[in-house]
Coordinates of all heavy atoms in Angstrom, one line a residue:
M1 N 150.5 -76.9 24.6 CA 151.1 -78.0 23.9 C 150.9 -77.9 22.4 O 149.9 -77.4 22.0 CB 150.6 -79.3 24.5 CG 151.1 -80.5 23.7 SD 151.8 -81.9 24.4 CE 151.4 -81.9 26.1
S2 N 151.9 -78.3 21.7 CA 151.9 -78.3 20.3 C 150.9 -79.2 19.7 O 150.8 -80.4 20.1 CB 153.3 -78.5 19.8 OG 153.3 -78.7 18.3
S3 N 150.2 -78.8 18.7 CA 149.3 -79.7 17.9 C 150.0 -80.5 16.9 O 149.5 -81.4 16.3 CB 148.2 -78.9 17.3 OG 148.7 -77.9 16.4
Y4 N 151.3 -80.1 16.7 CA 152.1 -80.8 15.6 C 153.0 -81.9 16.2 O 153.6 -82.7 15.4 CB 153.1 -79.8 15.0 CG 152.5 -78.6 14.3 CD1 152.5 -77.4 14.9 CD2 151.6 -78.9 13.2 CE1 151.9 -76.4 14.3 CE2 151.0 -77.8 12.6 CZ 151.1 -76.5 13.1 OH 150.4 -75.4 12.5
F5 N 153.0 -82.1 17.5 CA 153.8 -83.1 18.1 C 153.0 -84.1 18.9 O 152.3 -83.7 19.8 CB 154.9 -82.3 19.0 CG 155.8 -83.4 19.8 CD1 156.7 -84.0 19.1 CD2 155.7 -83.5 21.1 CE1 157.6 -84.8 19.7 CE2 156.4 -84.3 21.8 CZ 157.5 -85.0 21.1
L6 N 153.2 -85.3 18.7 CA 152.6 -86.4 19.5 C 153.7 -87.1 20.2 O 154.5 -87.8 19.5 CB 151.9 -87.4 18.6 CG 151.1 -88.6 19.3 CD1 150.1 -88.0 20.3 CD2 150.5 -89.5 18.3
P7 N 153.8 -86.9 21.5 CA 155.0 -87.4 22.2 C 154.9 -89.0 22.2 O 153.8 -89.6 22.4 CB 154.9 -86.9 23.6 CG 153.5 -86.4 23.7 CD 153.0 -86.1 22.4
R8 N 156.1 -89.6 22.2 CA 156.2 -91.0 22.4 C 156.1 -91.3 23.9 O 156.1 -90.4 24.8 CB 157.6 -91.5 22.0 CG 157.8 -91.3 20.5 CD 159.3 -91.6 20.2 NE 159.6 -91.3 18.8 CZ 160.7 -91.3 18.1 NH1 161.8 -91.7 18.9 NH2 160.8 -91.0 16.9
D9 N 155.8 -92.5 24.2 CA 155.5 -93.0 25.7 C 156.7 -92.5 26.6 O 156.6 -92.0 27.6 CB 155.3 -94.5 25.8 CG 155.1 -94.9 27.2 OD1 154.1 -94.5 27.8 OD2 155.9 -95.7 27.7
W10 N 158.0 -92.8 26.1 CA 159.1 -92.5 26.9 C 159.3 -90.9 27.1 O 159.7 -90.5 28.1 CB 160.5 -93.1 26.4 CG 161.0 -92.4 25.1 CD1 160.8 -92.8 23.9 CD2 161.8 -91.3 25.2 NE1 161.6 -92.0 23.1 CE2 162.2 -91.0 23.8 CE3 162.4 -90.5 26.2 CZ2 163.0 -89.9 23.5 CZ3 163.3 -89.4 25.9 CH2 163.5 -89.2 24.5
Q11 N 158.9 -90.2 26.1 CA 158.9 -88.8 26.3 C 158.0 -88.2 27.2 O 158.2 -87.3 28.0 CB 158.7 -88.0 24.9 CG 159.9 -88.3 23.9 CD 159.5 -88.0 22.4 OE1 158.4 -88.2 22.0 NE2 160.5 -87.6 21.7
E12 N 156.8 -88.8 27.3 CA 155.8 -88.5 28.3 C 156.4 -88.8 29.7 O 156.2 -88.0 30.7 CB 154.4 -89.1 28.2 CG 153.6 -88.5 27.0 CD 153.1 -87.1 27.4 OE1 153.1 -86.7 28.6 OE2 152.7 -86.4 26.6
R13 N 156.9 -90.0 29.9 CA 157.4 -90.4 31.1 C 158.6 -89.5 31.5 O 158.7 -89.3 32.7 CB 157.9 -91.9 31.1 CG 156.8 -92.9 31.0 CD 157.2 -94.3 31.1 NE 157.7 -94.7 29.7 CZ 158.9 -95.2 29.4 NH1 159.7 -95.4 30.5 NH2 159.2 -95.5 28.3
F14 N 159.4 -89.1 30.6 CA 160.5 -88.2 30.9 C 160.0 -86.9 31.5 O 160.5 -86.4 32.5 CB 161.3 -87.9 29.7 CG 162.1 -86.6 29.7 CD1 163.1 -86.4 30.5 CD2 161.8 -85.7 28.6 CE1 163.8 -85.2 30.5 CE2 162.5 -84.5 28.6 CZ 163.6 -84.3 29.6
V15 N 159.0 -86.3 30.9 CA 158.4 -85.1 31.4 C 157.8 -85.2 32.8 O 158.1 -84.4 33.7 CB 157.4 -84.5 30.4 CG1 156.6 -83.2 31.0 CG2 158.0 -84.2 29.1
R16 N 157.1 -86.4 33.0 CA 156.5 -86.6 34.3 C 157.6 -86.7 35.4 O 157.6 -86.2 36.6 CB 155.6 -87.8 34.3 CG 154.3 -87.6 33.7 CD 153.3 -88.6 34.0 NE 153.7 -90.0 33.7 CZ 153.5 -90.5 32.5 NH1 153.0 -89.8 31.5 NH2 154.0 -91.7 32.1
A17 N 158.7 -87.5 35.0 CA 159.8 -87.6 35.9 C 160.4 -86.4 36.2 O 160.8 -86.1 37.4 CB 160.9 -88.7 35.3
Y18 N 160.6 -85.5 35.2 CA 161.2 -84.2 35.5 C 160.3 -83.3 36.4 O 160.8 -82.6 37.4 CB 161.5 -83.4 34.2 CG 162.3 -82.2 34.4 CD1 163.6 -82.2 34.6 CD2 161.6 -81.0 34.5 CE1 164.3 -81.0 34.8 CE2 162.3 -79.8 34.8 CZ 163.7 -79.8 35.0 OH 164.3 -78.7 35.1
Q19 N 159.1 -83.4 36.2 CA 158.0 -82.6 37.0 C 158.1 -83.0 38.4 O 157.9 -82.2 39.3 CB 156.7 -82.8 36.5 CG 156.3 -82.0 35.2 CD 155.0 -82.3 34.8 OE1 154.6 -83.4 34.6 NE2 154.1 -81.2 34.6
T20 N 158.3 -84.3 38.7 CA 158.3 -84.8 40.0 C 159.5 -84.8 40.8 O 159.6 -85.0 41.9 CB 157.7 -86.3 40.2 OG1 158.5 -87.1 39.3 CG2 156.2 -86.3 39.6
N21 N 160.7 -84.5 40.0 CA 162.0 -84.5 40.6 C 162.7 -83.2 40.1 O 163.6 -83.4 39.4 CB 162.7 -85.8 40.3 CG 164.0 -85.9 41.0 OD1 164.2 -85.2 42.0 ND2 164.8 -86.8 40.5
L22 N 162.3 -82.1 40.5 CA 162.8 -80.8 39.9 C 164.2 -80.5 40.5 O 164.4 -79.5 41.2 CB 161.9 -79.7 40.2 CG 160.6 -79.8 39.5 CD1 159.6 -78.7 39.8 CD2 160.8 -79.8 38.0
K23 N 165.2 -81.2 40.1 CA 166.5 -80.9 40.5 C 167.2 -80.0 39.5 O 166.6 -79.8 38.5 CB 167.4 -82.2 40.5 CG 167.0 -83.2 41.6 CD 167.9 -84.4 41.6 CE 167.6 -85.3 42.7 NZ 168.4 -86.6 42.7
K24 N 168.3 -79.4 39.9 CA 169.0 -78.5 39.1 C 169.4 -79.1 37.8 O 169.4 -78.5 36.7 CB 170.1 -77.8 39.8 CG 170.8 -76.8 39.0 CD 171.9 -76.1 39.8 CE 172.5 -75.0 39.0 NZ 173.6 -74.3 39.7
N25 N 169.9 -80.3 37.9 CA 170.4 -81.1 36.7 C 169.6 -82.3 36.5 O 169.1 -83.0 37.4 CB 171.9 -81.5 37.0 CG 172.8 -80.3 37.2 OD1 172.8 -79.4 36.4 ND2 173.6 -80.4 38.2
F26 N 169.5 -82.6 35.2 CA 168.7 -83.8 34.8 C 169.3 -84.3 33.5 O 169.4 -83.6 32.6 CB 167.2 -83.4 34.5 CG 166.2 -84.5 34.5 CD1 165.5 -84.9 35.6 CD2 166.1 -85.2 33.3 CE1 164.7 -86.0 35.6 CE2 165.2 -86.4 33.3 CZ 164.5 -86.7 34.4
L27 N 169.6 -85.5 33.5 CA 170.3 -86.1 32.4 C 169.3 -86.9 31.5 O 168.6 -87.8 32.1 CB 171.4 -87.1 32.8 CG 172.1 -87.8 31.7 CD1 172.9 -86.8 30.7 CD2 173.2 -88.8 32.2
L28 N 169.1 -86.7 30.2 CA 168.3 -87.5 29.4 C 169.2 -88.1 28.4 O 170.0 -87.5 27.7 CB 167.4 -86.5 28.6 CG 166.6 -87.1 27.4 CD1 165.7 -88.3 27.9 CD2 165.8 -86.1 26.7
E29 N 169.2 -89.4 28.4 CA 170.1 -90.2 27.5 C 169.3 -91.1 26.7 O 168.4 -91.8 27.2 CB 171.1 -91.0 28.4 CG 172.1 -91.8 27.6 CD 173.0 -92.6 28.6 OE1 172.8 -92.7 29.7 OE2 174.1 -92.9 28.0
A30 N 169.6 -91.1 25.4 CA 168.9 -92.0 24.4 C 169.7 -92.1 23.2 O 170.6 -91.3 22.9 CB 167.4 -91.3 24.0
C31 N 169.4 -93.2 22.4 CA 170.2 -93.4 21.2 C 169.9 -92.4 20.1 O 169.0 -91.7 20.2 CB 170.0 -94.9 20.8 SG 168.3 -95.2 20.2
T32 N 170.7 -92.5 19.1 CA 170.5 -91.7 17.9 C 169.1 -91.8 17.3 O 168.7 -92.9 17.2 CB 171.6 -92.0 16.8 OG1 173.0 -91.9 17.5 CG2 171.5 -91.1 15.7
A33 N 168.5 -90.7 17.0 CA 167.2 -90.6 16.4 C 166.0 -91.2 17.3 O 165.0 -91.5 16.8 CB 167.1 -91.4 15.0
A34 N 166.3 -91.1 18.6 CA 165.2 -91.6 19.5 C 164.2 -90.5 19.8 O 163.1 -90.7 20.3 CB 165.8 -92.1 20.8
G35 N 164.6 -89.4 19.5 CA 163.7 -88.1 19.8 C 164.1 -87.3 21.0 O 163.3 -86.7 21.6
K36 N 165.4 -87.2 21.2 CA 165.9 -86.4 22.4 C 165.6 -84.9 22.2 O 165.1 -84.3 23.1 CB 167.4 -86.6 22.5 CG 167.8 -88.0 23.0 CD 169.3 -88.1 23.0 CE 170.1 -87.9 21.7 NZ 169.9 -88.9 20.7
T37 N 165.8 -84.4 21.0 CA 165.5 -83.0 20.8 C 164.1 -82.7 21.0 O 163.7 -81.8 21.7 CB 165.9 -82.7 19.4 OG1 167.3 -82.8 19.2 CG2 165.6 -81.2 19.0
A38 N 163.2 -83.5 20.4 CA 161.7 -83.3 20.6 C 161.3 -83.6 22.0 O 160.5 -82.9 22.5 CB 160.9 -84.3 19.6
G39 N 162.0 -84.5 22.7 CA 161.6 -84.8 24.0 C 162.0 -83.6 25.0 O 161.2 -83.2 25.9
A40 N 163.2 -83.0 24.8 CA 163.6 -81.8 25.5 C 162.7 -80.7 25.3 O 162.3 -79.9 26.1 CB 165.0 -81.5 25.2
L41 N 162.3 -80.5 24.0 CA 161.4 -79.3 23.6 C 160.0 -79.6 24.2 O 159.4 -78.7 24.6 CB 161.4 -79.2 22.1 CG 162.7 -78.6 21.5 CD1 162.7 -78.8 19.9 CD2 163.0 -77.2 21.8
H42 N 159.7 -80.8 24.2 CA 158.3 -81.2 24.7 C 158.3 -80.8 26.2 O 157.3 -80.3 26.8 CB 158.0 -82.7 24.5 CG 156.8 -83.1 25.2 ND1 155.6 -82.6 25.1 CD2 156.6 -84.2 26.0 CE1 154.7 -83.3 25.8 NE2 155.3 -84.3 26.4
A43 N 159.4 -81.1 26.9 CA 159.6 -80.8 28.3 C 159.4 -79.3 28.6 O 158.6 -78.9 29.4 CB 160.8 -81.3 28.9
F44 N 160.1 -78.6 27.8 CA 160.1 -77.1 27.9 C 158.7 -76.6 27.7 O 158.1 -75.8 28.4 CB 161.1 -76.4 27.0 CG 160.9 -75.0 27.0 CD1 161.5 -74.2 28.0 CD2 160.3 -74.2 25.9 CE1 161.4 -72.8 28.0 CE2 160.2 -72.8 26.0 CZ 160.8 -72.1 27.0
D45 N 158.1 -77.0 26.5 CA 156.8 -76.6 26.1 C 155.7 -76.9 27.2 O 154.8 -76.1 27.5 CB 156.4 -77.2 24.8 CG 155.1 -76.6 24.2 OD1 155.2 -75.3 23.9 OD2 154.2 -77.3 23.9
S46 N 155.8 -78.1 27.8 CA 154.9 -78.6 28.8 C 155.0 -77.9 30.1 O 154.0 -77.7 30.8 CB 155.1 -80.0 29.1 OG 154.8 -80.8 27.9
L47 N 156.1 -77.4 30.4 CA 156.4 -77.0 31.8 C 156.6 -75.4 31.8 O 156.7 -74.8 32.9 CB 157.6 -77.6 32.4 CG 157.5 -79.1 32.5 CD1 158.9 -79.7 32.9 CD2 156.5 -79.5 33.5
K48 N 156.7 -74.8 30.7 CA 157.1 -73.3 30.7 C 156.1 -72.5 31.4 O 156.4 -71.6 32.2 CB 157.3 -72.8 29.3 CG 156.1 -72.8 28.3 CD 156.5 -72.3 27.0 CE 155.3 -72.4 26.1 NZ 155.6 -72.1 24.8
S49 N 154.8 -72.8 31.3 CA 153.7 -71.9 31.9 C 153.6 -72.4 33.4 O 153.5 -71.5 34.3 CB 152.5 -72.0 31.3 OG 152.0 -73.4 31.2
V50 N 153.8 -73.6 33.7 CA 153.7 -74.2 35.1 C 154.8 -73.6 35.9 O 154.6 -73.2 37.1 CB 153.7 -75.7 35.1 CG1 153.7 -76.3 36.5 CG2 152.5 -76.3 34.3
L51 N 156.0 -73.6 35.4 CA 157.2 -73.2 36.2 C 157.6 -71.8 35.9 O 158.6 -71.3 36.3 CB 158.3 -74.1 35.9 CG 158.0 -75.6 36.3 CD1 159.2 -76.5 35.8 CD2 157.9 -75.7 37.7
D52 N 156.8 -71.0 35.1 CA 157.1 -69.7 34.7 C 158.5 -69.5 34.1 O 159.2 -68.6 34.4 CB 157.0 -68.7 36.0 CG 156.9 -67.3 35.6 OD1 156.3 -66.9 34.5 OD2 157.4 -66.4 36.3
W53 N 158.8 -70.4 33.2 CA 160.0 -70.4 32.4 C 159.8 -69.3 31.4 O 158.9 -69.3 30.7 CB 160.4 -71.7 31.8 CG 160.9 -72.7 32.8 CD1 161.2 -72.5 34.1 CD2 161.0 -74.1 32.6 NE1 161.7 -73.7 34.7 CE2 161.5 -74.7 33.7 CE3 160.8 -74.9 31.4 CZ2 161.8 -76.1 33.8 CZ3 161.0 -76.3 31.5 CH2 161.5 -76.9 32.8
R54 N 160.8 -68.4 31.2 CA 160.7 -67.3 30.2 C 161.7 -67.5 29.1 O 161.6 -66.8 28.1 CB 160.9 -66.0 30.9 CG 159.8 -65.8 31.9 CD 159.9 -64.4 32.5 NE 159.0 -64.3 33.6 CZ 157.8 -63.8 33.6 NH1 157.4 -63.3 32.4 NH2 157.0 -63.7 34.6
F55 N 162.7 -68.4 29.3 CA 163.7 -68.6 28.2 C 164.3 -70.0 28.2 O 164.1 -70.6 29.2 CB 164.8 -67.5 28.2 CG 165.6 -67.6 29.5 CD1 166.7 -68.3 29.6 CD2 165.3 -66.8 30.6 CE1 167.5 -68.4 30.7 CE2 166.0 -66.9 31.7 CZ 167.1 -67.6 31.8
L56 N 164.9 -70.4 27.2 CA 165.4 -71.7 27.0 C 166.8 -71.5 26.4 O 167.0 -70.8 25.5 CB 164.6 -72.6 26.0 CG 165.1 -73.8 25.6 CD1 165.2 -74.9 26.7 CD2 164.3 -74.5 24.5
V57 N 167.9 -72.1 27.1 CA 169.2 -72.1 26.6 C 169.6 -73.4 26.1 O 169.4 -74.5 26.8 CB 170.2 -71.7 27.6 CG1 171.6 -71.8 27.1 CG2 169.9 -70.3 28.1
V58 N 170.0 -73.6 24.8 CA 170.3 -74.9 24.3 C 171.8 -74.8 23.8 O 172.2 -73.9 23.2 CB 169.4 -75.2 23.0 CG1 169.9 -76.4 22.3 CG2 168.0 -75.1 23.3
V59 N 172.5 -75.8 24.3 CA 173.9 -75.8 23.9 C 174.2 -77.1 23.1 O 173.8 -78.2 23.6 CB 174.9 -75.8 25.1 CG1 176.4 -75.9 24.8 CG2 174.6 -74.6 26.0
V60 N 174.7 -77.0 22.0 CA 175.0 -78.2 21.1 C 176.5 -78.1 20.6 O 177.0 -77.1 20.6 CB 174.1 -78.3 19.8 CG1 172.6 -78.5 20.3 CG2 174.1 -77.0 19.0
P61 N 177.1 -79.3 20.2 CA 178.6 -79.3 20.0 C 178.9 -78.9 18.5 O 180.1 -78.7 18.2 CB 178.8 -80.7 20.1 CG 177.6 -81.5 19.9 CD 176.5 -80.6 20.4
A62 N 177.9 -78.7 17.6 CA 178.3 -78.2 16.3 C 177.2 -77.3 15.7 O 176.0 -77.4 16.1 CB 178.4 -79.5 15.4
E63 N 177.7 -76.5 14.7 CA 176.8 -75.5 14.2 C 175.6 -76.2 13.4 O 174.5 -75.7 13.5 CB 177.5 -74.5 13.3 CG 176.6 -73.4 12.8 CD 177.4 -72.3 12.2 OE1 178.7 -72.3 12.4 OE2 176.8 -71.5 11.5
H64 N 175.8 -77.3 12.6 CA 174.8 -77.9 11.9 C 173.7 -78.4 12.9 O 172.4 -78.3 12.6 CB 175.3 -79.0 11.0 CG 175.7 -80.2 11.7 ND1 176.8 -80.3 12.3 CD2 175.0 -81.4 11.9 CE1 177.0 -81.6 12.8 NE2 175.8 -82.2 12.6
L65 N 174.1 -78.8 14.1 CA 173.1 -79.3 15.1 C 172.3 -78.1 15.7 O 171.1 -78.2 16.0 CB 173.8 -80.1 16.2 CG 174.4 -81.3 15.8 CD1 175.2 -81.9 17.0 CD2 173.3 -82.3 15.3
M66 N 173.0 -77.0 15.7 CA 172.3 -75.7 16.2 C 171.2 -75.3 15.3 O 170.1 -75.1 15.6 CB 173.3 -74.6 16.3 CG 172.8 -73.3 16.8 SD 174.1 -72.0 17.1 CE 175.4 -72.4 15.9
Q67 N 171.4 -75.4 14.0 CA 170.4 -75.0 13.0 C 169.3 -76.1 13.0 O 168.1 -75.7 12.9 CB 171.1 -75.0 11.6 CG 172.1 -73.9 11.4 CD 171.6 -72.5 11.6 OE1 170.5 -72.3 11.4 NE2 172.5 -71.7 12.1
Q68 N 169.7 -77.4 13.1 CA 168.7 -78.5 13.2 C 167.8 -78.3 14.4 O 166.6 -78.4 14.3 CB 169.5 -79.8 13.2 CG 168.5 -81.0 13.2 CD 169.3 -82.3 13.4 OE1 170.3 -82.3 12.8 NE2 168.8 -83.3 14.1
Y69 N 168.4 -78.0 15.6 CA 167.6 -77.9 16.8 C 166.6 -76.7 16.7 O 165.4 -76.8 17.1 CB 168.6 -77.6 18.0 CG 168.0 -78.1 19.3 CD1 168.5 -79.2 19.9 CD2 167.0 -77.4 19.9 CE1 168.1 -79.7 21.1 CE2 166.5 -77.8 21.2 CZ 167.1 -79.0 21.7 OH 166.6 -79.4 22.9
A70 N 167.1 -75.6 16.1 CA 166.3 -74.5 16.0 C 165.1 -74.7 15.0 O 163.9 -74.3 15.2 CB 167.1 -73.2 15.5
Q71 N 165.4 -75.5 14.0 CA 164.3 -75.8 12.9 C 163.2 -76.7 13.6 O 162.2 -76.5 13.4 CB 165.0 -76.4 11.7 CG 164.0 -76.6 10.6 CD 163.5 -75.2 10.0 OE1 164.3 -74.4 9.7 NE2 162.3 -75.0 9.9
D72 N 163.8 -77.7 14.4 CA 162.9 -78.6 15.0 C 162.0 -77.9 16.0 O 160.8 -78.2 16.2 CB 163.6 -79.7 15.7 CG 164.2 -80.8 14.8 OD1 163.8 -80.8 13.6 OD2 165.0 -81.6 15.2
A73 N 162.6 -76.9 16.8 CA 161.8 -76.1 17.7 C 160.7 -75.4 17.1 O 159.6 -75.3 17.6 CB 162.8 -75.2 18.5
F74 N 161.0 -74.8 15.9 CA 160.0 -74.1 15.2 C 158.9 -75.0 14.6 O 157.7 -74.8 14.7 CB 160.6 -73.2 14.1 CG 159.6 -72.4 13.4 CD1 159.1 -71.2 13.9 CD2 159.1 -72.8 12.1 CE1 158.2 -70.5 13.3 CE2 158.2 -72.0 11.4 CZ 157.7 -70.8 12.0
N75 N 159.4 -76.1 13.9 CA 158.4 -77.0 13.2 C 157.5 -77.7 14.2 O 156.3 -77.9 13.9 CB 159.2 -77.9 12.3 CG 159.8 -77.3 11.2 OD1 159.5 -76.3 10.7 ND2 160.8 -78.1 10.6
L76 N 158.0 -78.2 15.3 CA 157.2 -79.0 16.2 C 156.5 -78.1 17.3 O 155.3 -78.5 17.7 CB 158.2 -79.9 17.0 CG 158.8 -81.0 16.2 CD1 159.8 -81.8 17.1 CD2 157.8 -82.0 15.5
F77 N 157.0 -77.0 17.7 CA 156.3 -76.3 18.8 C 156.2 -74.8 18.6 O 155.7 -74.0 19.4 CB 157.3 -76.4 20.1 CG 157.3 -77.9 20.5 CD1 158.3 -78.6 20.2 CD2 156.3 -78.4 21.3 CE1 158.4 -80.0 20.6 CE2 156.3 -79.7 21.7 CZ 157.4 -80.4 21.4
G78 N 156.5 -74.3 17.3 CA 156.5 -72.9 17.0 C 157.4 -72.0 17.8 O 157.1 -70.8 17.9
L79 N 158.4 -72.5 18.3 CA 159.4 -71.7 19.1 C 160.4 -71.1 18.2 O 161.0 -71.7 17.4 CB 160.1 -72.6 20.1 CG 159.2 -73.2 21.2 CD1 160.0 -74.2 22.1 CD2 158.6 -72.2 22.1
N80 N 160.7 -69.8 18.2 CA 161.7 -69.2 17.5 C 162.9 -69.0 18.4 O 163.0 -68.1 19.3 CB 161.2 -67.8 17.0 CG 160.2 -67.9 15.9 OD1 160.4 -68.6 15.0 ND2 159.0 -67.3 16.2
L81 N 163.9 -69.9 18.2 CA 165.1 -69.8 18.9 C 166.2 -68.8 18.2 O 166.3 -68.8 17.0 CB 165.8 -71.1 19.0 CG 165.0 -72.2 19.7 CD1 165.8 -73.5 19.8 CD2 164.5 -71.8 21.1
F82 N 166.8 -67.9 19.1 CA 167.9 -67.1 18.6 C 169.1 -67.9 18.5 O 169.5 -68.5 19.4 CB 168.1 -65.9 19.6 CG 169.2 -65.0 19.2 CD1 169.1 -64.1 18.1 CD2 170.4 -65.1 19.9 CE1 170.2 -63.4 17.8 CE2 171.5 -64.3 19.6 CZ 171.3 -63.4 18.5
V83 N 169.6 -68.0 17.2 CA 170.8 -68.9 16.9 C 172.1 -68.1 16.8 O 172.0 -67.1 16.0 CB 170.6 -69.7 15.7 CG1 171.7 -70.5 15.4 CG2 169.3 -70.5 15.9
T84 N 173.0 -68.4 17.6 CA 174.3 -67.7 17.5 C 175.4 -68.7 17.7 O 175.5 -69.6 18.5 CB 174.4 -66.5 18.5 OG1 175.7 -65.9 18.4 CG2 174.3 -67.0 20.0
A85 N 176.5 -68.5 17.0 CA 177.7 -69.5 17.0 C 178.7 -68.7 17.8 O 179.3 -67.7 17.3 CB 178.1 -69.9 15.7
Q86 N 179.1 -69.1 19.0 CA 180.1 -68.4 19.8 C 181.3 -69.4 20.0 O 182.1 -69.1 20.9 CB 179.5 -68.1 21.1 CG 178.4 -67.0 21.1 CD 179.0 -65.7 20.5 OE1 180.1 -65.3 20.9 NE2 178.2 -65.0 19.7
V87 N 181.4 -70.4 19.3 CA 182.6 -71.4 19.4 C 183.8 -70.6 19.2 O 184.0 -69.8 18.2 CB 182.5 -72.5 18.4 CG1 183.7 -73.5 18.5 CG2 181.2 -73.3 18.7
G88 N 184.8 -70.8 20.1 CA 186.1 -70.2 20.0 C 186.2 -68.7 20.5 O 187.2 -68.2 20.6
K89 N 185.1 -68.3 21.0 CA 185.0 -66.9 21.6 C 185.3 -66.8 23.1 O 185.6 -65.7 23.6 CB 183.6 -66.3 21.4 CG 183.2 -66.2 19.9 CD 183.9 -65.1 19.1 CE 183.4 -65.0 17.7 NZ 184.2 -64.4 16.8
S90 N 185.2 -67.9 23.8 CA 185.5 -67.9 25.2 C 186.9 -68.5 25.4 O 187.5 -69.1 24.6 CB 184.4 -68.7 26.0 OG 184.6 -70.1 25.7
G91 N 187.3 -68.5 26.7 CA 188.5 -69.1 27.1 C 188.5 -70.6 27.1 O 189.5 -71.3 27.4
I92 N 187.3 -71.2 27.0 CA 187.1 -72.7 27.2 C 187.6 -73.4 25.9 O 188.2 -74.4 26.0 CB 185.7 -73.0 27.5 CG1 185.3 -72.4 28.9 CG2 185.5 -74.5 27.6 CD1 183.9 -72.5 29.2
F93 N 187.2 -72.9 24.8 CA 187.5 -73.7 23.5 C 188.8 -73.0 22.9 O 188.9 -71.8 22.9 CB 186.3 -73.5 22.5 CG 185.1 -74.1 23.1 CD1 184.1 -73.3 23.6 CD2 184.9 -75.5 23.2 CE1 182.9 -73.8 24.1 CE2 183.7 -76.0 23.6 CZ 182.8 -75.2 24.1
P94 N 189.6 -73.9 22.2 CA 190.8 -73.4 21.5 C 190.4 -72.5 20.3 O 189.4 -72.7 19.8 CB 191.5 -74.6 21.2 CG 190.6 -75.7 21.3 CD 189.4 -75.3 22.2

């Protein structure tokens, strides 16, 4: 666990809920600036060794969010995310 991050109560409850209900999909919904990025990174950091996770895929809707997420991952948890913009490269996006 990161020494730079002190999780909020709801973030701890989120990680515990995810641990006890390991479904393929899990929705985390919170208002702007509630700490969704930190909460998701906290979940990954807390569970990566327990569940033998070796990588993390993050999908965000805009390039500036991609940079922000990568910076938060590094600042809070020391995670170096490989950042690449592939918008418009697949058949899904115009």
